[in-house]
Amino acid sequence: MTSGTLHEAPPAQAPAPAAPPRRRQRALLPASARLRRLCLELVKFGVVGGSGVAVNFVVFNLLLHGLASGPMTATVLASVVAMGTNYLGFRFFAYRDRDTRTKRQIALFFAFSGIGVAMESLLFYAAYHGAAMNGPLGSNVAKALSILLASAFRFLVYRTWVFQHRGHTRSA
């Protein structure tokens, strides 16, 4: 063999270190960065939630005071319509950096949202009938309180189980 036909193998290079899992990266962030990230997440949740609340109130008042629907029918239908608009806002704005849409994610969103609608409806029922908050102003205050309390539940379950960080799975 001649020296022109022999080639030296390139020196072996160590493979590039794998990027740490997302969960570990979050743990490595300083507390101030994690707090800032949580605050941003709360703001985005609030923007989407606020638009959902607006949809909820518009539909609720249209049904209850405009079309004379029953109070429970109005609150449940308004909550369901807002749930649909909220999914779009959460998926494409508030949690767009999270895992992509899956059948599991959609199922969890609507399952937890259904629980949220049930909570909201029970709270509304208690205020509307139990606390006699049944006039035009009272019904809206009852609706606002029920939305507020059910939203705390929604925030926790959406961020924990529905819109997870990429590569992070949690068993329910």
Side-chain angles (χ1 to χ4, degrees), residues 32-161:
S32 61
R34 287 193 308 260
L35 180 61
R36 193 171 24 252
R37 182 179 279 177
L38 179 62
C39 288
L40 179 60
E41 184 178 335
L42 276 167
V43 167
K44 287 180 174 181
F45 183 88
V47 167
V48 173
S51 66
V53 168
V55 167
N56 203 328
F57 272 103
V58 167
V59 173
F60 172 73
N61 281 292
L62 177 67
L63 291 171
L64 182 63
H65 302 296
L67 300 175
S69 295
M72 293 310 296
T73 300
T75 196
V76 170
L77 288 177
S79 296
V80 169
V81 170
M83 178 179 23
T85 61
N86 282 353
Y87 177 78
L88 297 173
F90 289 131
R91 174 69 265 151
F92 298 108
F93 174 67
Y95 296 118
R96 73 173 174 228
D97 64 326
R98 306 287 177 98
D99 280 338
T100 57
R101 181 177 55 99
T102 64
K103 290 179 184 176
R104 178 181 182 275
Q105 181 188 73
I106 294 169
L108 283 173
F109 178 84
F110 285 103
F112 285 129
S113 292
I115 293 168
V117 168
M119 290 173 64
E120 189 179 316
S121 299
L122 289 171
L123 292 165
F124 175 79
Y125 182 88
Y128 188 87
H129 294 290
M133 298 175 90
N134 50 18
L137 178 60
S139 63
N140 280 283
V141 171
K143 183 70 172 166
L145 291 173
S146 67
I147 290 171
L148 181 67
L149 293 172
S151 292
F153 164 78
R154 289 179 179 120
F155 175 73
L156 292 174
V157 297
Y158 291 167
R159 78 181 305 269
T160 304
W161 286 292

